[in-house]
Amino acid sequence: MKDENMSKQIENITFDDSDAQALEILEEKPEVYPLRDPSEDPRWAVRIIWTWVSIAIFLLLFFVVLLILGIWYD
């Protein structure tokens, strides 16, 4: 049942000329993923990921400092 739905979805996908190279790679080697090098990723997407990772590390360190100061001054 699930495989039938997946094959129906794949049949309904349309590709334009810009996706021709990706389609050829998929047909030749479907196990190859990702289809492009990390250096070709959009810069805004990489910047967003680095921003959120930086915020998460900062908050983690801030909580650790608060815990240490709380233990020290309590």
Side-chain angles (χ1 to χ4, degrees), residues 2 4 8 11 16 20 24-25 29 32-33 37-38 40-42 51 55 57 60 62-63 66 73:
K2 188 175 184 180
E4 293 173 8
K8 288 178 185 177
E11 290 171 0
D16 55 357
E24 289 175 8
I25 292 172
K29 298 180 183 179
V32 175
Y33 185 82
D37 291 332
E40 297 175 3
D41 287 342
T51 301
I55 290 171
I57 290 172
L60 183 65
F62 182 70
F63 290 142
L66 284 179
Y73 287 109

Side-chain angles (χ1 to χ4, degrees), residues 33-43 45-46 50:
Y33 185 82
L35 298 177
R36 62 177 179 237
D37 291 332
S39 62
E40 297 175 3
D41 287 342
R43 292 179 191 241
V46 175
W50 278 112

Side-chain angles (χ1 to χ4, degrees), residues 9-55:
Q9 289 176 354
I10 291 173
E11 290 171 0
N12 293 334
I13 295 175
T14 58
F15 293 96
D16 55 357
D17 292 337
S18 64
D19 295 330
Q21 183 181 10
L23 184 59
E24 289 175 8
I25 292 172
L26 279 174
E27 289 175 350
E28 292 173 4
K29 298 180 183 179
E31 69 277 356
V32 175
Y33 185 82
L35 298 177
R36 62 177 179 237
D37 291 332
S39 62
E40 297 175 3
D41 287 342
R43 292 179 191 241
W44 62 267
V46 175
R47 257 186 265 131
I48 288 174
I49 297 300
W50 278 112
T51 301
W52 280 109
V53 168
S54 301
I55 290 171

